[in-house]
Amino acid sequence: MKDGQPQEIKLADYQAPGYRTTTTQLHFDIHDGATVVTSELQIERQQEGADTLELAGQELELISVAVDGQELSGNEFALDDETLTLRDLGGSHTVLIKTRIHPEQNTALEGLYRSSSMYCTQCEAQGFRKITYYQDRPDVSSVFTTSITADSSAYPTLLSNGNLIDSKVQADGRRTVTWHDPHPKPSYLFALVAGDLASVEDTFVTASGCQVALQIFSEPHNIDQCGYAMEVLKRSMAWDEQRFGREYDLDVFMIVAVEDFNMGAMENKGLNIFNTSCVLASPDTATDAAYQRVEAVVAHEYFHNWSGNRVTCRDWFQLSLKEGFTVFRDAEFSSDMNSRAVKRIEDVSFLRSIQFAEDASPLAHAVRPQSYIEISNFYTTTIYEKGAEVVRMYHTLLGETAFRQGSDAYFARHDGSAATTDDFAAVMQEAGQLDLTQFKRWYDQAGTPALHVTESYAEGALTLVIQQSCPATPGQPEKLPFHMPVVFALLDATGQVLPVQELRVDCDAQIDRRDDNLLLHLREAETKVVFQGLTDKPVMSFLRGFSAPVKVSYPRPDSELGFLARHDLDGFVRWDALQSLWVKHFAGQALEGVELTRIVGDLADQAGHQLEHAEDMLLAATMLSLPEENYLFEQLAKFEVDSLIDARDSLMQTLADDHTDRWLQLYQLSQAPQPYQPDAFGMARRALANVAFSYLCRGCAAADLQGIVERHYQQADNLTDRRAALSQACRNDRLEVEFRSWLINDFYQRWQDQALVIDLWFSLQAQSPLTSIEDMRALQAHPQFDERNPNRVRSVCGAFGMYNHRRLHALDGSGYAFLRDVVAGLDRTNPQVAARICTPLTRWQRYDSERQQLMRSALEQLAERADLSKDLFEIVNKSLT
């Protein structure tokens, strides 16, 4: 790193701004090659004695600055690479600033940049300072009026936040439009789009009778894939009114699909800008998983209109205030639209695979961090997914009615302001009439808590002892006990829940009886619960619905886990019991009283009789799938990469061989009886059929394999099924090389004009253990690989780092060296993407000593570079600490 290392920003140093910008008038004069931005700011002093206004700015050419109509000379203000400072101001003033920027040269994709033939913005977290000098901080909200002037033939679509209030053609043929957003907002929510775009349009009538115009824009070649996103948007608006009482508040709601975008999407007020991967969907260009992602992300960004826009966060340390709350909201929406049990399982699986890994790494941080160097590095699974788990625990502790009262109070009390996580906790405490002082440790203590559970049964009494702990994390060697909700129930020999109102429970801690469940408020390091008067020993159904984001050690007979996997009515506990058996098998421990292959066979048989019920089929498909390698890496205390991958492959082969006839029957039964529909029933059928297909491709005779794969590929009427066949072509070494090459090439020839489909084509090859480092370099050299496009980089380099464990972790160090070089190259053009692609190297501590040394060496070589961005500097140096 060059001299002058980046400075750490600390929560403890937060100070409210001395001035606020009450109104902001912007004018963008767009020309190819350069854009001139004029900003007129009305500022007011809000701290007694303040007389200095510091405006953030990066990579800007300052043309002029004036205060109250008087242009300032160079010695009347201070200017450096990151700030414009105005001194001796006094009270209220009008500040006029002109800057020149070059969007075409903006490869970092922050601020205003050019994507293909259109201009667009990305301002969260600190991109607005690359547009003009401004109070670019979330606790300064302003009413924005934005005018855009551009060539009307090249850029007929000119969009910004709010409502369109004026449009006129200039004498030179250029066009000027003006947008006004009546709702004050911080600069990170600003958006602008200029291009020649097509659109789909619809309307939505709110609960109070207001008609809202809905528009989704994209480049013309993508517009036929925007219809599903419009359907989701209308469902989201209706759901938010019903579940949270939130109505939309502008005349128009717009979404724009952009092909070059660092994130998934952005909730700019009234003008959401989306990565195309999160808005485009058609049967031929989106898998079922992609449809579900569109559903979740469209809903997520719409829900931000209240949980993020109308009520924003005071500072970036409070980022989870808006993101965690909104992830919880979109998860609830997806659960209501599809399968609640499977959605919960998917979220927990992701949490255990990715967020738990972050908690166990040198980059572990609290949901409310205490410091950062580059805020973009804190758009993490801890902030989003663990933050959502914190909100879910509020919901569990309070119950639906009190939680809704709390959220209503939060929106009412803080509408139009910048709030904190303490503000959110305060309304929940009032609504639930529950002391949440200890609960707030979830915001401040990093790491994944662990529960150790022991049980004993004697003379009609079942005793449960629960101990909680949390490992040391960087800067936090000691942890205090959390307040967490532990939901459980007792099952009889038939799998039925024992009536909770009839149970005699002795416990010093608070226990609430909720429907069929008991809710334990776990607050102490050790808690004992005793159930008296039982006639037979029941089976404990523990941590139902994954009621707290914790690791659980619960020694119990394997036969009980098998019983839960077959009979528990809580879908998460069924799945989790089976996961415990998988993990025990991969840990090399013998299973007693239960056979995995028999359980799988029973589940396959059950699935064959559940083909009329989408939720049952989805749960069966989920349970029949072996745990992914990332999941196992986090669940096992010790492992050797190649040995673990071999063991997983071996078990899958055993299950395939032992149940070949079952897989064939289930595959045939699960074939869709009607053309493709992106609904819950169709997705469930395809999920089950493709799980059976994957086993069948391992267990069938070698002479039959090519025919099975080719038929699946050729008969498919959707990308989900084609993906399953393409995956076999990329990964199945039983297929002849010529056939594999044919299918991979045929897929490319058919879909080479669809960018997102080719992302999938790249990704499946990059993930495959059959793909060598030389093959990876060939993918990088492919004419369709573009290192400036984040989606394409993630589909090749990101997929390799996150999923191709056989090649990444090769003991010759070639995989780490490849990823190191990719990261170093990306850091020069797009530091945000570089920092994220680097993530697998930061997890070095969980591997064996030889691999640890190789991974640290790759990080050390990055750290020695003299031109590291702030993004990568922070990631690399924290990982080496």
Side-chain angles (χ1 to χ4, degrees):
M1 184 72 195
K2 64 180 69 174
D3 292 340
Q5 293 184 349
Q7 296 299 304
E8 192 173 48
I9 309 298
K10 298 180 179 179
L11 173 58
D13 294 336
Y14 171 82
Q15 291 183 345
Y19 285 83
R20 66 188 183 101
T21 303
T22 58
T23 64
T24 300
Q25 294 189 54
L26 299 171
H27 180 252
F28 290 78
D29 190 9
I30 298 176
H31 293 268
D32 291 346
T35 294
V36 174
V37 182
T38 302
S39 60
E40 183 176 310
L41 316 177
Q42 300 297 324
I43 65 166
E44 291 182 357
R45 183 165 61 187
Q46 64 176 12
Q47 298 291 338
E48 187 67 29
D51 65 353
T52 299
L53 176 64
E54 186 176 279
L55 304 174
Q58 293 178 0
E59 302 172 19
L60 303 174
E61 178 187 343
L62 179 63
I63 298 174
S64 64
V65 56
V67 176
D68 297 331
Q70 298 295 314
E71 186 168 340
L72 304 184
S73 62
N75 59 2
E76 293 179 293
F77 58 85
L79 181 67
D80 60 30
D81 289 342
E82 297 196 349
T83 56
L84 168 65
T85 304
L86 307 180
R87 304 189 187 93
D88 303 323
L89 289 175
S92 301
H93 298 280
T94 300
V95 177
L96 187 69
I97 300 172
K98 282 189 176 183
T99 58
R100 183 179 290 108
I101 56 177
H102 303 277
E104 295 81 1
Q105 301 172 23
N106 183 355
T107 61
L109 311 186
E110 293 180 282
L112 179 67
Y113 65 93
R114 188 171 180 121
S115 170
S116 186
S117 62
M118 63 192 292
Y119 292 92
C120 60
T121 56
Q122 170 53 33
C123 293
E124 187 175 358
Q126 296 177 336
F128 194 80
R129 64 189 60 190
K130 294 187 175 183
I131 294 174
T132 186
Y133 292 98
Y134 199 78
Q135 287 184 285
D136 190 15
R137 47 189 292 170
D139 57 355
V140 174
S141 289
S142 181
V143 174
F144 278 70
T145 303
T146 304
S147 295
I148 312 165
T149 299
D151 183 334
S152 59
S153 60
Y155 309 105
T157 305
L158 301 174
L159 310 174
S160 192
N161 310 86
N163 300 314
L164 181 66
I165 61 173
D166 191 36
S167 175
K168 56 188 176 185
V169 177
Q170 306 293 339
D172 60 358
R174 289 160 61 77
R175 178 165 162 257
T176 299
V177 303
T178 302
W179 294 81
H180 176 69
D181 184 357
H183 300 282
K185 65 175 179 288
S187 56
Y188 82 86
L189 291 172
F190 173 79
L192 178 151
V193 172
D196 185 1
L197 306 179
S199 67
V200 295
E201 301 186 3
D202 208 327
T203 58
F204 180 83
V205 179
T206 68
S208 61
C210 296
Q211 183 165 292
V212 181
L214 308 179
Q215 297 175 306
I216 300 180
F217 296 87
S218 77
E219 292 178 287
H221 63 273
N222 287 327
I223 198 62
D224 62 342
Q225 300 178 51
C226 293
Y228 182 74
M230 181 65 81
E231 295 175 19
V232 171
L233 176 58
K234 291 188 292 184
R235 291 202 301 268
S236 303
M237 297 176 80
W239 184 89
D240 208 19
E241 289 182 347
Q242 296 161 8
R243 181 71 184 272
F244 281 89
R246 301 297 104 195
E247 283 194 29
Y248 188 62
D249 52 6
L250 288 170
D251 298 336
V252 61
F253 184 86
M254 300 172 285
I255 290 173
V256 179
V258 179
E259 292 187 341
D260 301 291
F261 203 68
N262 282 341
M263 301 183 178
M266 179 59 207
E267 70 267 21
N268 321 288
K269 181 67 178 182
L271 177 58
N272 288 186
I273 299 180
F274 274 55
N275 189 314
T276 50
S277 67
C278 297
V279 70
L280 303 182
S282 73
D284 284 332
T285 61
T287 62
D288 289 341
Y291 269 97
Q292 290 175 329
R293 189 178 187 216
V294 169
E295 180 180 71
V297 178
V298 169
H300 180 97
E301 305 307 334
Y302 174 75
F303 297 155
H304 263 313
N305 187 60
W306 278 92
S307 52
N309 296 1
R310 288 285 289 263
V311 183
T312 191
C313 51
R314 186 196 71 178
D315 53 74
W316 292 119
F317 298 99
Q318 320 293 329
L319 179 58
S320 189
L321 176 70
K322 72 182 186 78
E323 295 301 346
F325 189 16
T326 306
V327 169
F328 168 77
R329 277 155 47 76
D330 83 55
E332 286 294 288
F333 171 75
S334 294
S335 296
D336 285 346
M337 296 300 108
N338 301 286
S339 165
R340 180 164 292 274
V342 172
K343 173 58 178 171
R344 191 66 186 130
I345 289 167
E346 291 171 351
D347 289 346
V348 173
S349 183
F350 183 79
L351 196 77
R352 287 176 173 174
S353 300
I354 308 301
Q355 196 280 318
F356 282 12
E358 188 168 85
D359 263 352
S361 78
L363 298 179
H365 58 276
V367 172
R368 180 173 60 191
Q370 294 301 304
S371 66
Y372 63 81
I373 291 176
E374 172 51 59
I375 183 54
S376 64
N377 286 334
F378 277 94
Y379 284 75
T380 63
T381 54
T382 297
I383 299 299
Y384 280 69
E385 276 71 29
K386 189 173 182 178
E389 293 298 313
V390 173
V391 177
R392 183 172 297 279
M393 286 189 288
Y394 279 121
H395 183 271
T396 302
L397 289 168
L398 272 64
E400 171 62 22
T401 300
F403 182 85
R404 170 63 189 272
Q405 292 170 350
S407 67
D408 285 350
Y410 171 72
F411 291 128
R413 187 175 302 176
H414 299 288
D415 188 9
S417 68
T420 67
T421 53
D422 286 333
D423 294 328
F424 191 83
V427 295
M428 291 299 164
Q429 180 165 288
E430 293 172 15
Q433 298 183 342
L434 184 68
D435 184 356
L436 294 174
T437 304
Q438 182 180 351
F439 180 83
K440 292 198 295 183
R441 290 174 186 165
W442 283 102
Y443 289 117
D444 296 322
Q445 293 188 156
T448 304
L451 300 183
H452 182 71
V453 185
T454 57
E455 69 169 47
S456 58
Y457 180 78
E459 299 178 352
L462 178 67
T463 300
L464 205 66
V465 178
I466 307 173
Q467 297 172 311
Q468 65 159 301
S469 61
C470 189
T473 53
Q476 293 185 341
E478 301 291 336
K479 306 294 173 70
L480 297 172
F482 291 87
H483 175 191
M484 65 180 72
V486 177
V487 176
F488 56 95
L490 302 181
L491 307 185
D492 65 18
T494 67
Q496 298 300 305
V497 175
L498 297 180
V500 296
Q501 300 301 330
E502 299 175 11
L503 292 174
R504 291 167 47 194
V505 187
D506 295 332
C507 182
D508 292 336
Q510 177 182 347
I511 293 185
D512 301 334
R513 300 174 194 253
R514 299 268 186 91
D515 299 324
D516 290 335
N517 296 321
L518 294 168
L519 167 60
L520 169 65
H521 292 252
L522 190 66
R523 292 185 172 96
E524 303 299 327
E526 180 172 303
T527 300
K528 180 187 289 188
V529 185
V530 181
F531 300 91
Q532 304 279 8
L534 300 171
T535 55
D536 297 292
K537 181 184 181 303
V539 176
M540 176 65 66
S541 176
F542 189 74
L543 205 66
R544 301 191 113 197
F546 199 64
S547 58
V550 298
K551 294 182 178 181
V552 178
S553 170
Y554 191 162
R556 61 200 308 183
D558 297 328
S559 57
E560 285 194 358
L561 294 173
F563 174 85
L564 291 168
R566 288 184 173 96
H567 299 296
D568 202 316
L569 297 179
D570 184 292
F572 165 77
V573 175
R574 285 191 67 193
W575 171 83
D576 193 44
L578 185 55
Q579 301 310 297
S580 296
L581 293 172
W582 295 128
V583 170
K584 189 170 182 180
H585 169 83
F586 288 120
Q589 302 174 30
L591 301 181
E592 298 180 3
V594 64
E595 294 181 15
L596 274 173
T597 185
R598 183 173 178 179
I599 291 178
V600 169
D602 291 346
L603 292 174
D605 288 342
Q606 290 176 17
H609 295 91
Q610 296 171 334
L611 300 180
E612 301 304 319
H613 304 285
E615 191 146 356
D616 291 337
M617 283 192 290
L618 276 172
L619 182 58
T622 303
M623 292 188 67
L624 287 169
S625 302
L626 278 179
E628 298 294 336
E629 290 155 2
N630 278 321
Y631 184 92
L632 293 172
F633 289 167
E634 290 311 308
Q635 297 301 303
L636 296 170
K638 293 182 179 180
F639 63 91
E640 198 280 329
V641 173
D642 291 320
S643 298
L644 179 56
I645 295 174
D646 289 343
R648 185 180 181 278
D649 289 345
S650 176
L651 179 58
M652 188 163 186
Q653 188 66 56
T654 298
L655 297 175
D657 292 339
D658 287 357
H659 305 295
T660 301
D661 292 341
R662 280 191 173 98
W663 300 129
L664 178 59
Q665 181 183 34
L666 188 58
Y667 176 62
Q668 293 171 338
L669 288 172
S670 302
Q671 293 298 295
Q674 57 191 18
Y676 179 88
Q677 288 293 326
D679 56 18
F681 184 80
M683 290 182 181
R685 279 258 185 178
R686 284 184 292 277
L688 195 54
N690 282 316
V691 167
F693 172 71
S694 65
Y695 281 114
L696 186 60
C697 288
R698 282 181 173 262
C700 69
D704 298 330
L705 176 58
Q706 180 173 317
I708 292 171
V709 174
E710 185 170 4
R711 280 192 299 275
H712 195 74
Y713 177 68
Q714 299 287 20
Q715 294 175 6
D717 67 348
N718 62 85
L719 185 59
T720 301
D721 290 339
R722 291 191 194 100
R723 181 201 183 282
L726 179 61
S727 179
Q728 291 297 322
C730 292
R731 302 182 67 94
N732 195 323
D733 59 3
R734 296 175 67 214
L735 287 168
E736 293 183 2
V737 173
E738 292 78 7
F739 176 75
R740 293 176 59 242
S741 298
W742 169 80
L743 198 156
I744 292 170
N745 291 330
D746 184 78
F747 187 99
Y748 176 79
Q749 293 300 324
R750 291 193 194 189
W751 306 106
Q752 60 184 306
D753 294 331
Q754 295 291 338
L756 296 180
V757 182
I758 296 305
D759 284 339
L760 174 66
W761 180 81
F762 274 114
S763 179
L764 288 177
Q765 293 177 80
Q767 294 178 37
S768 171
L770 303 181
T771 299
S772 66
I773 298 299
E774 290 71 24
D775 294 330
M776 287 299 302
R777 294 194 177 99
L779 290 177
Q780 287 181 296
H782 192 279
Q784 289 232 40
F785 180 78
D786 182 359
E787 66 179 7
R788 296 167 300 178
N789 179 265
N791 285 354
R792 195 53 46 88
V793 171
R794 285 187 284 261
S795 71
V796 176
C797 307
F800 173 81
M802 290 300 295
Y803 301 108
N804 195 340
H805 300 293
R806 184 79 80 178
R807 296 297 186 180
L808 174 67
H809 298 292
L811 284 171
D812 63 1
S814 58
Y816 305 139
F818 173 80
L819 199 62
R820 176 203 64 205
D821 293 343
V822 166
V823 169
L826 282 171
D827 195 45
R828 301 186 186 97
T829 56
N830 194 325
Q832 281 191 26
V833 173
R836 284 162 175 74
I837 296 295
C838 189
T839 297
L841 294 176
T842 70
R843 308 280 167 81
W844 58 270
Q845 289 181 332
R846 66 181 177 180
Y847 299 101
D848 56 84
S849 58
E850 189 171 0
R851 289 183 170 91
Q852 286 188 15
Q853 185 176 351
L854 289 168
M855 296 172 83
R856 280 188 59 90
S857 176
L859 289 169
E860 288 165 353
Q861 290 167 37
L862 287 171
E864 291 170 359
R865 297 181 64 88
D867 56 350
L868 282 189
S869 66
K870 286 198 300 183
D871 305 64
L872 195 56
F873 173 86
E874 181 173 27
I875 292 293
V876 169
N877 282 276
K878 283 187 175 180
S879 298
L880 290 170
T881 301

